[in-house]
Amino acid sequence: MSIQTFSAGETTTDIRSVAVIGLGYIGLPTAAILASQGLRVTGVDVNPATVEAVNDGRVPFVEPDLGIHVAGAVSQGTLRAQTDVPAADAFIVAVPTPFKGDKSADLAYVEQAARNIAPRLRPGNLVILESTSPPGTTRRMAEVILAERPDLGTEANGGTAAVLFAHCPERVLPGRIMIELVTNDRIIGGLTPEGATAAAALYSTFCQGGIHLTDATTAEMAKLVENAYRDVNIAFANELSMISESLDINVWNLIELANHHPRVNILQPGPGVGGHCIAVDPWFIVAADPERSRLIRTAREVNDSKPDYVVSAIESAAAGLEQPVIAALGLAFKANVDDTRESPAVDIVHRIATANPQAHIAVGSPFSGTGLPAKLAGLPNVALGTAEEALAEADVVALLVDHDAFREITPEQLAGKRVVDTRGFWRN
């Protein structure tokens, strides 16, 4: 299928009800934005606490403006949540796709969602996979569903399946999800042209950006390529930061100078790469073609190794102190959100705490009310509080996340402390 641009008004959708499977960082915003357009939306999640929160009009995580949409849709009666899959005109699967120990994708959540959807399907329904996935996952989801429901398959329906399938990858930035859901361009790939067109008509109810139609496999790969591109560029910056340290060069000043070239735009280094997308998606490309993905693999290995470098720097800063207090500022995978998925900061704190039981790690976070992630919650020498509390008792300060709130930290608060600045806030 060649690339086409869908224009709102080319066709209308007769979809009136939508079930969104998975109410996480992508599923719940998608459900809320669809419900705000007047569609009857049922969110489905295995976590009863999430279901209860949504039905109360509350959001179980931090995302600007999402709470307004959820509360409004619930009060209007267009959004509700439950633990079982209802009948609907369209189904959107937005469940996790983590990787296994060998870095290949774990599709168990997608396949289980497919099996849960299958009994509810009727001829003419639309099933959309929104989860970021390796090439071929949308087809695999369709195979699971049609194996459960052979009455909807091609053999029972004259060579054409009675249900439409498409892949519509999200392309949003945490902290700006409710804006970018509406304004960003959208890629939509169908297992058939009819599936792509039907999905485009549904997404055009809220998407003001361009909608670009292709086949499902290309759409799956496009999302992976977008994040692998960013990962490669971040790896260049992270590798440059380590080289600069060995040469006694301030990498932040170096990058600033290099970026004065009109065709150079080097990104900023950090403690690693986190989040469910950039830290995960490139591995799906590597798994799809290990022999030809050498650059993408190397970039992942560089970024995965950066926490090792930061851990060594923090331990060096604490060397000679019998019972050091280390202020670790930030746990999220990016600035100004509370999302700790695949966060290098969490990994760094865990490794420092377990390898140095004599040390006390005071985690400072603007999101301290959300509590420690499970990986850290049971460690006796890790405590969570505000940045001010962490700084007050610290011998060593490690800036791990570039939250805007940390820009208010003064030189006086850092006086006499050993500082490891992974984000260049306090560059010389």
Side-chain angles (χ1 to χ4, degrees):
M1 180 178 176
S2 61
I3 300 174
Q4 302 174 26
T5 299
F6 178 88
S7 298
E10 283 184 3
T11 184
T12 58
T13 178
D14 58 359
I15 293 172
R16 297 291 178 265
S17 60
V18 181
V20 178
I21 317 302
L23 295 177
Y25 288 90
I26 298 303
L28 183 53
T30 301
I33 204 74
L34 285 167
S36 71
Q37 304 304 307
L39 292 162
R40 299 190 310 277
V41 181
T42 303
V44 179
D45 201 274
V46 297
N47 187 342
T50 298
V51 169
E52 180 181 0
V54 172
N55 286 331
D56 287 343
R58 296 182 287 109
V59 177
F61 50 86
V62 175
E63 179 59 42
D65 300 326
L66 177 56
I68 297 171
H69 284 79
V70 170
V74 170
S75 67
Q76 292 293 319
T78 55
L79 175 63
R80 71 177 191 274
Q82 57 192 55
T83 56
D84 59 314
V85 177
D89 298 325
F91 300 82
I92 298 176
V93 176
V95 297
T97 48
F99 55 65
K100 303 175 184 177
D102 63 356
K103 306 296 187 182
S104 64
D106 182 353
L107 301 180
Y109 296 106
V110 172
E111 293 178 357
Q112 186 58 54
R115 284 188 282 269
N116 292 342
I117 289 169
R120 300 297 189 181
L121 287 173
R122 303 183 299 263
N125 281 172
L126 170 66
V127 182
I128 296 170
L129 177 62
E130 193 160 306
S131 306
T132 303
S133 308
T137 305
T138 305
R139 185 168 297 281
R140 173 59 185 159
M141 180 184 71
E143 290 170 351
V144 171
I145 287 174
L146 296 180
E148 298 279 326
R149 292 290 304 278
D151 58 303
L152 300 174
T154 56
E155 292 185 8
N157 293 277
T160 302
V163 174
L164 299 173
F165 296 94
H167 180 62
C168 306
E170 53 83 11
R171 308 170 85 199
V172 293
L173 185 68
R176 289 180 49 86
I177 289 177
M178 300 313 294
I179 296 170
E180 297 196 356
L181 269 178
V182 175
T183 60
N184 285 1
D185 283 12
R186 199 84 191 210
I187 297 172
I188 294 180
L191 289 186
T192 60
E194 294 79 11
T197 301
L202 175 60
Y203 280 78
S204 71
T205 60
F206 66 86
C207 181
Q208 298 173 5
I211 297 179
H212 310 286
L213 308 188
T214 184
D215 61 90
T217 304
T218 302
E220 290 162 341
M221 189 65 171
K223 173 61 187 294
L224 305 182
V225 166
E226 291 165 6
N227 284 325
Y229 172 84
R230 295 174 65 196
D231 196 45
V232 169
N233 283 275
I234 295 169
F236 179 80
N238 278 336
E239 189 168 273
L240 190 61
S241 72
M242 294 183 281
I243 294 170
S244 296
E245 179 75 17
S246 72
L247 298 177
D248 196 26
I249 293 172
N250 184 311
V251 69
W252 314 101
N253 294 339
L254 175 65
I255 289 173
E256 182 179 353
L257 290 169
N259 281 347
H260 282 290
H261 189 288
R263 289 174 295 281
V264 173
N265 184 24
I266 303 170
L267 301 180
Q268 299 297 298
V273 174
H276 182 65
C277 290
I278 301 180
V280 176
D281 297 356
W283 286 121
F284 294 168
I285 299 178
V286 174
D289 193 344
E291 296 300 319
R292 297 177 179 85
S293 52
R294 292 174 294 172
L295 177 62
I296 295 170
R297 180 195 296 275
T298 299
R300 266 293 69 232
E301 290 171 346
V302 168
N303 286 332
D304 278 351
S305 72
K306 190 63 187 293
D308 295 338
Y309 187 83
V310 176
V311 167
S312 295
I314 295 171
E315 290 181 336
S316 294
L321 301 174
E322 290 188 9
Q323 293 181 313
V325 177
I326 300 169
L329 301 184
L331 289 177
F333 82 86
K334 68 179 295 291
N336 305 322
V337 301
D338 69 338
D339 189 348
T340 60
R341 289 177 297 173
E342 306 296 331
S343 173
V346 172
D347 183 45
I348 289 165
V349 171
H350 182 268
R351 291 169 59 184
I352 290 289
T354 54
N356 301 274
Q358 80 284 1
H360 173 69
I361 294 81
V363 176
S365 171
F367 303 102
S368 57
T370 60
L372 287 168
K375 189 173 183 178
L376 304 178
L379 298 178
N381 58 338
V382 177
L384 176 64
T386 66
E388 290 74 18
E389 292 168 340
L391 287 168
E393 57 178 325
D395 303 304
V396 177
V397 178
L399 179 68
L400 303 179
V401 185
D402 49 340
H403 292 306
D404 287 344
F406 296 156
R407 296 186 185 277
E408 300 174 5
I409 295 172
T410 65
E412 290 73 22
Q413 289 175 285
L414 299 176
K417 304 180 189 300
R418 306 175 186 184
V419 175
V420 178
D421 180 2
T422 72
R423 303 300 314 193
F425 267 29
W426 307 307
R427 69 185 75 175
N428 295 326

